[in-house]
Amino acid sequence: MTALSHHLLATIWSALELPAPATDAVSFTGHGNLPSYYAVTDLAAAAIGAAALAVRELAALRGASEAPVSVDRRLASLWFGWSLAPVGWERPALWDAVAGDYACLDGWIRLHTNAPHHRRAALDVLGCAPDRQAVEQAVAQWQGAALEAAMVANRGCAAQMRSAGDWHAHPQGLAVASEPLIAFDTRPCGGAVAWAGTRTGSRTGAEARPLAGVKVLDLTRVLAGPVATRFLAGYGAEVLRIDAPDWNEPGVIPEVTPGKRCARLDLHHAPDRAVFEQLLAEADVLVHGYRPEALARLGYDENYRRQANPRLVDVCLDAYGWSGPWTGRRGFDSLVQMSCGIAAHGMQASGAGKPVPLPVQALDHATGYLMAAAVVRGLITRVTQQRATQARLSLARTAALLMTTEGEIGGVQLAPVAPDDYALALEHTAWGPARRLRAPVAVAGMAMAWPQGASELGSAPAQWAAP
């Protein structure tokens, strides 16, 4: 059952370009699989295991013992869904009423309309009211490729359903296939490489909170980037998330903000720019998911970031890859599943009459843990080689890894979530009490935990915590 988890872990670890650990460094427990035509549970276990193993390697550099890592495949699968169960309150709706799959003249297309400006872009192209039946009727008049192109040209988000064969022959599919799972680049730091925090083997110091003192500036949105920084916060990093004054993603914020401080800055406003630039200069890590030209238009391109903070670990995410004609195209997990053939394969294999996506947003979650592992790898490189790291990842490249696997629809299925899957203590969030799933991975002496519950966007000042 765990052979594929080990294989995927080895593939991810090779992509991290770190020395190979002992063959028994990570063990996998737990039974059952998410029902999918791809091995989503194995990907979940491997991605989480790789991130935790990287944390263990960094902790060893700071004086901790090389403790064993154990991943619960069942809990890892559940964390690829939703880890938070509200107590006495309801989570806001995840999807906008217009978002979803629609039949067009020659197949299927998915519209992603959760953000208000993406919804307006879609409705402007279709020329219809924000009513699902009206959208269905309007989409039915279009060829899939033409509607996708029109949506993208209008700064909207849509993806025509393609088969895996079509994607492999597509210029963007060819470009993604040539990219590494994680693309690294390093350069001399040109200065101090350590960070604040206790360097000790005691269980009250580095071994207990191995990322203590690491300042992470978080410029990410749904969902991969926030998953990455949630993991980093879980092992002690100070995560400061920055959002624009008008941005919100209510359906997922309670899920992804435990242990973080969330602030707002308007980077078109000079005083806020000055605050941001100071934060960037003092950060150890920058994690961002904006399209490349978005930061460049603000004056914060790669060259600026290197000059402002020569020691920065800079980890960035893109939907469709970093080369090819779709470089910088807006995208989300559900759209990439449509583009690359995952939804079409599920539809064909099941005999369904509509797209069959993965049972969870596995591309987002897996890529999030790969991003977290890349951050830790960058910290290791900074300590051992006195070099700063940039890492690039994409949802489409993670999809390519998943598509090398086969799932077991008829095998042992994952048991439903049970009360004892949750931690005993309530998490006090900004919306009310909630229960969070128990951690999916255990590293002896290094608990994944968050000192405070999930918080709302803009609820904290844009500053690092006092030492």
Side-chain angles (χ1 to χ4, degrees), residues 216-391:
V216 178
L217 192 58
D218 181 357
L219 302 184
T220 65
R221 297 175 176 177
V222 287
L223 182 60
V227 166
T229 52
R230 181 184 65 188
F231 178 89
L232 298 173
Y235 281 103
E238 179 185 352
V239 176
L240 178 60
R241 172 168 167 157
I242 302 296
D243 287 280
D246 60 349
W247 178 257
N248 200 10
E249 46 197 52
V252 299
I253 290 303
E255 173 68 23
V256 297
T257 59
K260 304 179 187 181
R261 294 169 59 251
C262 302
R264 293 190 185 276
L265 290 173
D266 184 348
L267 297 184
H268 298 281
H269 187 50
D272 283 8
R273 288 175 64 86
V275 172
F276 174 76
E277 289 161 12
Q278 185 63 38
L279 292 171
L280 180 63
E282 296 172 352
D284 295 291
V285 176
L286 174 67
V287 183
H288 53 108
Y290 289 95
R291 290 174 299 119
E293 67 271 21
L295 282 180
R297 285 197 299 268
L298 290 167
Y300 302 125
D301 62 7
E302 183 178 324
N303 288 333
Y304 175 90
R305 301 194 301 270
R306 287 185 177 184
Q307 293 174 13
N309 189 339
R311 64 193 178 91
L312 188 68
V313 177
D314 189 324
V315 176
C316 47
L317 168 72
D318 187 68
Y320 283 105
W322 295 91
S323 60
W326 288 9
T327 300
R329 175 180 284 214
R330 296 172 180 83
F332 297 90
D333 180 304
S334 59
L335 300 184
V336 175
Q337 288 192 47
M338 289 287 278
S339 296
C340 72
I342 288 176
H345 177 65
M347 177 176 169
Q348 180 182 25
S350 66
K354 61 181 181 180
V356 177
L358 303 174
V360 292
Q361 294 184 76
L363 306 184
D364 265 330
H365 286 272
T367 306
Y369 290 106
L370 298 187
M371 292 172 73
V375 166
V376 180
R377 187 268 201 192
L379 294 171
I380 292 171
T381 301
R382 203 170 82 180
V383 171
T384 59
Q385 302 177 28
Q386 293 75 56
R387 296 183 69 83
T389 296
Q390 181 189 64

